[in-house]
Amino acid sequence: MTLTGRHISYWIDSTLPSSYPTLSQDVTVDVAVVGAGLAGVTTAKLLQQAGKTVALIEADRIGAGVSGHTTAKVAALQQLIYADLIEQHGEEKARLFGESNRAAIARLADLITAENIDCDFERKANYTFATDTDGLTKVKDEIEAAQRLGLPVSFVESVDLPLPVSGAIVMPDEAQFHPRKFMLAIAATLPGNGSHVFEQTRVQTVDGEGPCRVITHNGPTVTAQDVVITTNLPILDIGLYFAKTYPKRSYIVGGRIAPEQAPKDMYIGVGENYRSIRSTPTDDGGTLLLVGGEGHKVGDDSATDERFQRLESYLQKTFGVEPAYRWSTQDYISFDKLPYIGPLTPAHDHTYVATGFSLWGMAKSILSAMVLSDRILGIANPWADLYESTRPAPFVTATSIQQNLEVGTRWVGDRFKGLFDSPDSVGPGEGKLVTHKGSKIAAYRDDSGQLHTVSAVCPHLGCIVAWNQAENSWDCPCHGSRFSCNGDVLHGPAVKPLESKPCD
Ligand code: FES
């Protein structure tokens, strides 16, 4: 299969690498923030502005994780959400959801202005469009729901896209930006006067409460009165967030388009085969068109390159644009459609989490920073109750029952995969589960013929990993941990690598 675009996020490719130090000795601060994506960077900034000393600790590099692989739409209209929220939570909570997401967009705009950050921030209209009768019904239900909540939405019959549309809901004055430019600029304002940024520092666990000890893989600790965990899914299992959400991957391709032909605003379709569309200015004066979609549960599909191929084909056929970039991302879907923002458990007063952003993490990251910084500062926040992380989890919804059953089924059933395959049966460019001397092995043979073998047992809670062809990674279908072909952690909640298993 031939894919055209370069396999790297445009947001990463168009920014310089960051190079903050690794934590090499113990430090003490007021607040430690674990995970330097948009939620972590912004939380650290808001706390520092309020006079706290902070340590921002990142296992990889600033903004190199999920926040560096998004479409970066900052939106309160999140495809279709308000009709569902009213049905599931009632009108008042749905109204607060809209209000809080719009407040987050405004807070981001204020921060960008106050810090004078050049990050291609633009106010844009945001459309959710239908291409068939079923989709149109859903769009009209969404308009009615959003209007009941006082949101400034309206119906339009056509949109600025070269495809037939049966109707769309539009929300004005939403936003888009270059997320990594923003995160790098904010991170650069943090070090000094008792605050720090550490990269390539993987946190293993957090001990104690007020003060908390943040323990890292290479030994040194950060002692802090409060700790905020913003690692997409919390790396600490005790809050059971892995059982209150499920992991979903999605894919993005981008290609250069003439500025006058680029769609003006932000768009997303409805239904399983939705496409998410926006453009972004490039630093050389051009325009890049981005198309996302093809979402699926992590570990459910090893032929992920076909998903890129379908998006590349869509880019070429719909817009006449040749692919220049492709990348993928991952997020955790909350079963009750609300993120979890607050204490790790009811017993924790100083350890906080933010997770379950359900593919719309830009506004919710800023919102998390607002709620958590207020909480740590002792300021009442109007949305804290809505997103309370210790609220009863909806373990009895159809989706959550199905997901948790699937986890149990995979935990058992995947152990039989590769039972009769040996490492020798793995061809060049192939990743496969095999059995060697009674052990379940995840084996990948690279194009030069070298075999890379690691344990197939995920170090998080023991599920069996699955091969991801497009990313050359081992992905865990249970809670979304991902590993390189050599076992290194690419994505939590796992904090330890897949065990090395030489098959000589
Ligand atoms: Fe939980 Fe693998 S991510 S078992």
Side-chain angles (χ1 to χ4, degrees):
M1 180 176 303
T2 310
L3 294 169
T4 315
R6 291 173 57 219
H7 196 160
I8 184 171
S9 156
Y10 168 72
W11 313 124
I12 306 285
D13 192 44
S14 56
T15 43
L16 292 171
S18 52
S19 60
Y20 291 95
T22 298
L23 178 68
S24 58
Q25 59 184 37
D26 295 351
V27 300
T28 299
V29 289
D30 294 328
V31 185
V33 179
V34 182
L38 186 61
V41 165
T42 311
T43 302
K45 181 64 188 174
L46 297 188
L47 288 166
Q48 190 204 43
Q49 280 181 330
K52 297 282 186 188
T53 55
V54 297
L56 179 63
I57 310 163
E58 168 56 44
D60 189 1
R61 297 286 180 193
I62 302 292
V66 172
S67 299
H69 290 80
T70 160
T71 51
K73 296 174 174 177
V74 200
L77 176 63
Q78 298 172 4
Q79 197 185 37
L80 301 174
I81 182 76
Y82 291 102
D84 273 354
L85 285 180
I86 290 174
E87 188 182 331
Q88 205 167 333
H89 298 283
E91 225 168 284
E92 178 55 14
K93 287 186 176 177
R95 187 187 66 72
L96 288 170
F97 180 93
E99 175 189 284
S100 58
N101 278 277
R102 285 175 70 76
I105 301 168
R107 186 64 175 265
L108 175 65
D110 288 348
L111 201 47
I112 289 168
T113 304
E115 297 291 327
N116 195 21
I117 297 172
D118 177 7
C119 60
D120 305 323
F121 180 86
E122 293 178 87
R123 289 287 192 170
K124 294 275 184 184
N126 182 21
Y127 295 82
T128 300
F129 63 87
T131 53
D132 58 24
T133 320
D134 185 42
L136 186 59
T137 303
K138 289 179 178 152
V139 160
K140 288 188 170 170
D141 288 348
E142 184 73 355
I143 291 172
E144 192 204 323
Q147 286 179 337
R148 262 167 67 195
L149 302 172
L151 292 165
V153 298
S154 53
F155 178 74
V156 292
E157 287 182 347
S158 62
V159 297
D160 173 35
L161 293 174
L163 50 92
V165 163
S166 44
I169 176 173
V170 57
M171 172 112 59
D173 221 19
E174 304 244 77
Q176 64 178 37
F177 72 144
H178 187 310
R180 193 151 194 267
K181 284 184 180 175
F182 174 81
M183 290 183 279
L184 289 175
I186 291 290
T189 68
L190 296 175
N193 297 320
S195 291
H196 312 266
V197 175
F198 300 111
E199 292 186 321
Q200 309 257 280
T201 303
R202 185 169 292 282
V203 171
Q204 294 290 332
T205 192
V206 178
D207 269 357
E209 270 276 285
C212 315
R213 283 178 69 240
V214 179
I215 298 164
T216 64
H217 73 301
N218 49 352
T221 60
V222 175
T223 302
Q225 184 65 19
D226 296 283
V227 175
V228 178
I229 311 277
T230 50
T231 51
N232 197 212
L233 186 67
I235 54 163
L236 304 178
D237 290 335
I238 188 171
L240 300 180
Y241 295 97
F242 59 81
K244 301 174 185 176
T245 60
Y246 67 93
K248 196 165 180 183
R249 285 202 80 69
S250 51
Y251 300 80
I252 300 171
V253 298
R256 290 186 174 273
I257 188 169
E260 63 278 9
Q261 286 173 2
K264 285 198 307 289
D265 292 303
M266 306 188 297
Y267 312 83
I268 190 165
V270 299
E272 270 298 292
N273 296 319
Y274 72 88
R275 298 288 183 249
S276 175
I277 300 164
R278 65 161 282 195
S279 60
T280 183
T282 57
D283 288 342
D284 60 4
T287 300
L288 196 73
L289 178 66
L290 303 179
V291 174
E294 293 289 330
H296 66 92
K297 263 191 66 201
V298 175
D300 258 8
D301 181 6
S302 60
T304 45
D305 41 1
E306 291 174 14
R307 295 181 181 271
F308 277 126
Q309 192 174 50
R310 286 194 283 275
L311 287 178
E312 287 197 349
S313 169
Y314 184 89
L315 195 65
Q316 288 161 325
K317 287 186 181 145
T318 308
F319 295 96
V321 164
E322 287 307 311
Y325 288 95
R326 67 186 144 90
W327 69 89
S328 64
T329 188
Q330 180 166 320
D331 201 14
Y332 288 81
I333 312 296
S334 165
F335 292 132
D336 69 1
K337 300 192 184 313
L338 298 175
Y340 293 92
I341 306 170
L344 177 64
T345 74
H348 286 82
D349 289 324
H350 297 280
T351 307
Y352 301 95
V353 295
T355 191
F357 294 169
S358 304
L359 309 183
W360 291 91
M362 296 290 95
K364 287 177 191 145
S365 287
I366 305 296
L367 179 54
S368 300
M370 294 159 73
V371 170
L372 294 179
S373 59
D374 278 354
R375 184 137 190 170
I376 288 167
L377 295 168
I379 298 169
N381 182 287
W383 310 298
D385 288 349
L386 177 64
Y387 299 119
E388 173 61 46
S389 48
T390 60
R391 68 184 180 269
F395 286 115
V396 289
T397 68
T399 316
S400 63
I401 289 172
Q402 186 192 358
Q403 162 62 16
N404 285 309
L405 269 177
E406 276 175 29
V407 167
T409 306
R410 295 205 70 141
W411 200 94
V412 176
D414 287 354
R415 282 170 158 68
F416 295 100
K417 289 185 177 167
L419 210 50
F420 302 109
D421 290 317
S422 71
D424 290 344
S425 70
V426 183
E430 188 182 14
K432 194 171 167 182
L433 295 176
V434 299
T435 302
H436 182 69
K437 295 183 179 168
S439 291
K440 181 74 62 200
I441 303 291
Y444 165 65
R445 192 180 299 282
D446 64 28
D447 290 336
S448 71
Q450 190 189 346
L451 195 62
H452 305 256
T453 49
V454 288
S455 167
V457 180
C458 175
H460 178 230
L461 293 177
C463 284
I464 299 295
V465 294
W467 182 242
N468 177 338
Q469 181 70 38
E471 313 279 346
N472 280 2
S473 62
W474 292 105
D475 298 357
C476 182
C478 288
H479 315 114
S481 290
R482 298 182 59 240
F483 308 87
S484 74
C485 62
N486 293 319
D488 299 327
V489 179
L490 300 175
H491 196 288
V495 294
K496 293 188 175 144
L498 292 173
E499 196 183 333
S500 175
K501 289 275 183 182
C503 290
D504 302 330

